[in-house]
């Protein structure tokens, strides 16, 4: 085998080993991260408002302690207790894994606020209650 062919073969083997090492470490990182559940911290501020006042609804999505910026779908389901209003609203991504919605209510009552988050092959649905007064 000539020196040139030997050098070319050695370079190809080194590149294959280097690429395999890069792919393996990335695959391990992704598998480790994907094995962790997504965590959705749903907050409503304030938890009691008067009709027509703004409510700030926020879903902070993390996985393995890191913000999830690439959720497939984030929606807020709003259902009035006793069979009143029921709607699902898409929620906007802000930054740092935070998805926000600003909303007002025109009817008093108790509302169930459920965030539906689909990310990285998982789904989470935390629930909070909101009280709207006259």
């Amino acid at each position: 085998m000539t020196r040139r062919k030997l050098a070319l073969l050695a370079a190809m083997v080194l590149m294959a080993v280097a690429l395999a090492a890069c792919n393996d470490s990335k695959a391990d990182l992704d598998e480790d991260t994907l094995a962790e559940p997504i965590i959705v911290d749903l907050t409503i501020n304030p938890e009691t408002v008067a009709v027509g006042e703004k409510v700030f609804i926020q879903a902070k999505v993390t996985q393995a302690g890191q913000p999830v910026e690439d959720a497939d779908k984030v929606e807020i389901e709003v259902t009035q207790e006793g069979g009143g209003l029921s709607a699902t609203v898409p929620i906007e991504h802000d930054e740092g894994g935070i998805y926000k919605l600003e909303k007002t209510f025109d009817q008093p009552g108790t509302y169930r606020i459920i965030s539906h988050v689909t990310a990285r092959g998982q789904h989470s649905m935390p629930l909070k209650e909101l009280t709207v007064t006259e």
Side-chain angles (χ1 to χ4, degrees):
M1 195 179 269
T2 66
R3 283 186 153 192
R4 185 175 178 177
K5 286 183 182 178
L6 187 59
L8 182 60
L9 180 63
M12 288 179 13
V13 168
L14 285 173
M15 285 177 62
V17 169
L19 285 174
C22 288
N23 286 339
D24 285 346
S25 66
K26 185 178 180 200
D28 290 343
L29 178 64
D30 288 346
E31 285 178 23
D32 291 343
T33 300
L34 292 175
E36 294 288 325
I38 59 170
I39 305 297
V40 179
D41 181 21
L42 177 63
T43 58
I44 301 171
N45 187 18
E47 292 182 0
T48 301
V49 295
V51 168
E53 287 184 349
K54 289 182 183 177
V55 176
F56 300 94
I57 302 169
Q58 174 179 298
K60 182 176 182 182
V61 185
T62 59
Q63 186 178 41
Q66 299 299 311
V68 173
E69 305 285 343
D70 60 347
D72 298 319
K73 192 178 216 181
V74 182
E75 295 178 323
I76 298 296
E77 178 184 345
V78 179
T79 305
Q80 188 175 17
E81 197 173 86
L85 172 74
S86 182
T88 303
V89 181
I91 189 169
E92 299 281 325
H93 178 250
D94 189 25
E95 61 182 27
I98 295 173
Y99 299 78
K100 293 181 176 182
L101 175 67
E102 185 178 304
K103 184 161 180 47
T104 59
F105 292 82
D106 58 4
Q107 295 178 10
T110 301
Y111 292 83
R112 291 176 40 168
I113 310 293
I114 304 170
S115 66
H116 292 273
V117 178
T118 303
R120 301 177 180 174
Q122 300 179 38
H123 188 76
S124 180
M125 299 171 37
L127 166 104
K128 296 273 182 161
E129 283 195 351
L130 170 69
T131 303
V132 179
T133 61
E134 290 282 341

